[in-house]
Amino acid sequence: MFTLRQLETFREVVRARTTLRAAKALNVSQPAVSNMIRQMEARLGFPLFERLGNRLVPTPDADEIYRDSESIFALYQAFSHRIETRQRSEAGHLRIVGTPPLANALIPQALREFLSKRPAVRVHVDTRRITGVMESVETRMADIGFGLNPPEREGLSFETLAMAQMVCVFPPGHPLEDKAAISSRDLDGQPLVLYEPNSSLDRAISSDILTRELRARAIAEVRYSSLACLMAEAGLGVGFVDSLTATVGERYRLSARPLFPSQPVPVCVITRKGETAKRIQATFLTELRKSPALTAIQEYGAEVPDVST
């Protein structure tokens, strides 16, 4: 029956008791306020105010309308506040999915700084294999995906945030610890823990490192880099993991050495192609690109010593 603007004007007149004071509070003209009240009364079929001298006194019906409108304006004010905080990227929901190396090493550090400034933001974080990451973004189960060396996929956009390195890991005191970098010939005779064929981390290690002969001597194949670390830690074999997994929080009792020639692996953010990002999503990615964690990823193994001679 009434617009929000009409109710707002009515409520201000109830509080101010004059159309002049109400007009000043609303930053409109006095005739505009008077016309608005007359329109409301004409639609209702009964008066809303009684004039006593220069003051407008609300009728009992007007008092009830005023009280009944309280919940409407409380909800509207709360809604307006949420819009303002969203405009400043201080509120909202962000759904993130990443492969285990990034979920363990990059995402928590990036979120720590981001959420410290935005306590009203709620984040849902999930961990999946790279195919699951891409499917989650594609089906809108996630706003942003993170993965290492993802394959191209129609409908998705891939941005390389940094270049990590594939490294060789083994228990402290292992003979390979004396090497500045690990080449294919250094691996001859070593039991190896490899990845499932054609997985993203398997593709990140070239045939310059893993020759056909070395692959044939693998003692195990695993799906996740964390399991490769645990098996290397147990002394079952030499493992190959991304530099994020190898270095995060000194979680594993392992030594790590870069591979020669270097084996870079892109750290990628995955979004839906041609779709405008939510403000909270765009703000998070802007801050992530300046994150010290990304700088550390770039610096680790950036200069691999030449051990070819």
Side-chain angles (χ1 to χ4, degrees):
M1 180 173 286
F2 300 129
T3 66
L4 194 62
R5 183 59 172 169
Q6 285 175 322
L7 280 174
E8 185 180 27
T9 302
F10 161 75
R11 288 171 58 82
E12 195 56 49
V13 174
V14 171
R15 287 191 291 262
R17 292 298 198 264
T18 71
T19 55
L20 179 61
R21 290 170 59 185
K24 288 181 178 179
L26 295 168
N27 197 27
V28 297
S29 68
Q30 184 181 9
V33 173
S34 298
N35 288 336
M36 192 83 73
I37 296 300
R38 280 196 294 269
Q39 290 171 11
M40 293 179 69
E41 289 177 330
R43 176 161 291 186
L44 285 168
F46 57 80
L48 291 168
F49 297 93
E50 295 177 0
R51 184 174 291 279
L52 297 178
N54 293 327
R55 295 173 62 80
L56 293 175
V57 179
T59 65
D61 288 305
D63 279 333
E64 284 193 0
I65 293 172
Y66 182 89
R67 288 193 297 271
D68 290 343
S69 67
E70 285 286 357
S71 59
I72 296 173
F73 280 86
L75 182 62
Y76 177 72
Q77 288 169 1
F79 175 73
S80 297
H81 175 71
R82 288 175 66 86
I83 292 296
E84 289 170 1
T85 55
R86 187 178 293 272
Q87 187 178 27
R88 297 191 298 268
S89 296
E90 294 177 358
H93 291 82
L94 188 61
R95 296 167 300 174
I96 299 172
V97 60
T99 55
L102 294 172
N104 292 334
L106 178 64
I107 294 174
Q109 295 182 48
L111 285 175
R112 179 179 59 189
E113 182 67 19
F114 181 74
L115 293 178
S116 68
K117 306 172 190 174
R118 301 168 179 85
V121 171
R122 293 295 174 263
V123 178
H124 178 269
V125 182
D126 193 9
T127 304
R128 299 191 179 189
R129 299 180 67 184
I130 190 60
T131 53
V133 168
M134 294 191 293
E135 288 171 3
S136 294
V137 175
E138 194 173 40
T139 58
R140 302 181 183 277
M141 295 296 292
D143 300 311
I144 312 171
F146 292 94
L148 293 173
N149 197 32
E152 291 293 324
R153 192 167 195 167
E154 188 176 355
L156 296 178
S157 178
F158 301 84
E159 177 191 350
T160 298
L161 297 173
M163 295 300 291
Q165 297 285 333
M166 294 300 293
V167 300
C168 188
V169 291
F170 37 78
H174 193 281
L176 292 177
E177 200 170 35
D178 295 332
K179 305 287 183 178
I182 308 299
S183 67
S184 180
R185 69 170 181 266
D186 297 320
L187 297 170
D188 191 29
Q190 297 288 344
L192 303 179
V193 178
L194 303 183
Y195 293 101
E196 295 175 336
N198 298 317
S199 63
S200 60
L201 291 179
D202 179 70
R203 294 195 312 270
I205 308 174
S206 70
S207 58
D208 291 336
I209 298 294
L210 288 182
T211 63
R212 183 178 301 176
E213 291 75 20
L214 287 178
R215 285 185 178 275
R217 290 203 295 272
I219 58 106
E221 290 180 353
V222 298
R223 178 174 295 179
Y224 298 114
S225 55
S226 56
L227 184 54
C229 282
L230 291 172
M231 294 188 71
E233 192 178 52
L236 295 173
V238 172
F240 301 90
V241 302
D242 57 278
S243 52
L244 286 82
T245 299
T247 59
V248 60
E250 298 181 350
R251 187 169 298 170
Y252 304 102
R253 296 186 301 275
L254 291 170
S255 293
R257 293 293 184 271
L259 296 167
F260 180 85
S262 64
Q263 306 290 297
V265 54
V267 178
C268 294
V269 58
I270 306 167
T271 54
R272 290 180 287 277
K273 185 177 292 184
E275 185 171 302
T276 302
K278 296 189 298 187
R279 288 183 60 83
I280 196 74
Q281 174 183 337
T283 303
F284 174 69
L285 288 177
T286 297
E287 293 198 10
L288 176 64
R289 293 183 186 100
K290 300 181 289 186
S291 169
L294 280 182
T295 303
I297 291 171
Q298 292 277 53
E299 291 176 350
Y300 185 90
E303 296 183 7
V304 177
D306 188 337
V307 294
S308 59
T309 57

